[in-house]
Amino acid sequence: MLDSLLVPTAIVALAEIGDKTQLLALILAARFRKPWPIIAGIVAATLANHAAAGAVGAWFGSFFSDAVLHWVLAASFTATALWTLVPDKMDDDEASTSRKFGPFLTTLIAFFLAEIGDKTQVATVMLAAQYPELWLVIIGTTLGMLIANVPVVLAGNFAADKLPLTLIRRLAASAFFILAIVAVYKAMQSSGWI
């Protein structure tokens, strides 16, 4: 049961380093200089986005046999591992939310939109399909987002400039590859091959 919380937390925390939403957190912190409403916006946006993604993952997982689901997860984790190795860049339209909404609402809207189709959202779908405790997965992926983004909001440019992003991307990709290998092993077990 603890795996449903700890694995998603670790995976998303690693995958989020250098991601466009982390760059967005940096931009919002520099623009508003009010960390707590920004952090609250990140929490609200991530919970909403990852709850939807988790529901899709749990629903998706209910349609397939264990063997098929594990083969799909293995392929998805492998693709996400490769995607994680590619540095993320901030899109101009995601950073251009107006000041008129204030730090909380601007962060809520910008983070929710930035997470749509992002690798951490895709990871949430896959993790929710794999683990039966949906709410623990959602809490774990949200904690992972906070672990990666709160220090950036609090420390501004200092933290982001000092992190070894290439190494962190490689560690995140390695974690996704390990999950892919575990999924292949479980698929082979479910198929009766081992």
Side-chain angles (χ1 to χ4, degrees):
M1 185 164 136
L2 230 85
D3 286 354
S4 297
L5 176 69
L6 299 178
V7 171
T9 300
I11 292 296
V12 170
L14 283 171
E16 184 63 16
I17 304 294
D19 190 69
K20 65 182 172 186
T21 47
Q22 192 177 46
L23 298 173
L24 178 60
L26 202 75
I27 290 167
L28 292 168
R31 180 181 297 167
F32 290 108
R33 300 191 186 277
K34 293 182 181 181
W36 300 114
I38 293 169
I39 292 168
I42 292 170
V43 170
T46 303
L47 280 172
N49 192 293
H50 288 197
V56 168
W59 175 76
F60 181 78
S62 69
F63 283 105
F64 297 100
S65 69
D66 282 347
V68 170
L69 180 60
H70 288 301
W71 285 116
V72 169
L73 287 171
S76 299
F77 282 131
T78 301
T80 304
L82 295 171
W83 186 8
T84 301
L85 292 171
V86 178
D88 221 344
K89 292 187 174 104
M90 187 68 201
D91 296 333
D92 290 335
D93 57 338
E94 290 171 351
S96 66
T97 308
S98 174
R99 264 189 192 259
K100 68 181 177 179
F101 294 120
F104 174 77
L105 196 53
T106 299
T107 303
L108 176 71
I109 294 167
F111 256 77
F112 186 84
L113 294 175
E115 270 297 289
I116 294 174
D118 194 53
K119 63 182 160 262
T120 50
Q121 186 188 43
V122 172
T124 301
V125 170
M126 292 184 298
L127 292 163
Q130 182 174 3
Y131 292 103
E133 294 86 10
L134 176 61
W135 286 106
L136 287 177
V137 170
I138 294 166
I139 290 168
T141 58
T142 302
L143 285 174
M145 288 286 288
L146 293 174
I147 288 168
N149 287 302
V150 168
V152 171
V153 171
L154 295 176
N157 267 336
F158 176 76
D161 291 342
K162 303 298 180 195
L163 292 173
L165 296 180
T166 301
L167 173 64
I168 292 169
R169 272 193 293 279
R170 288 179 183 159
L171 289 172
S174 297
F176 280 115
F177 276 126
I178 289 169
L179 286 172
I181 291 167
V182 169
V184 166
Y185 177 76
K186 287 181 179 181
M188 292 173 77
Q189 266 185 329
S190 298
S191 299
W193 297 353
I194 55 171

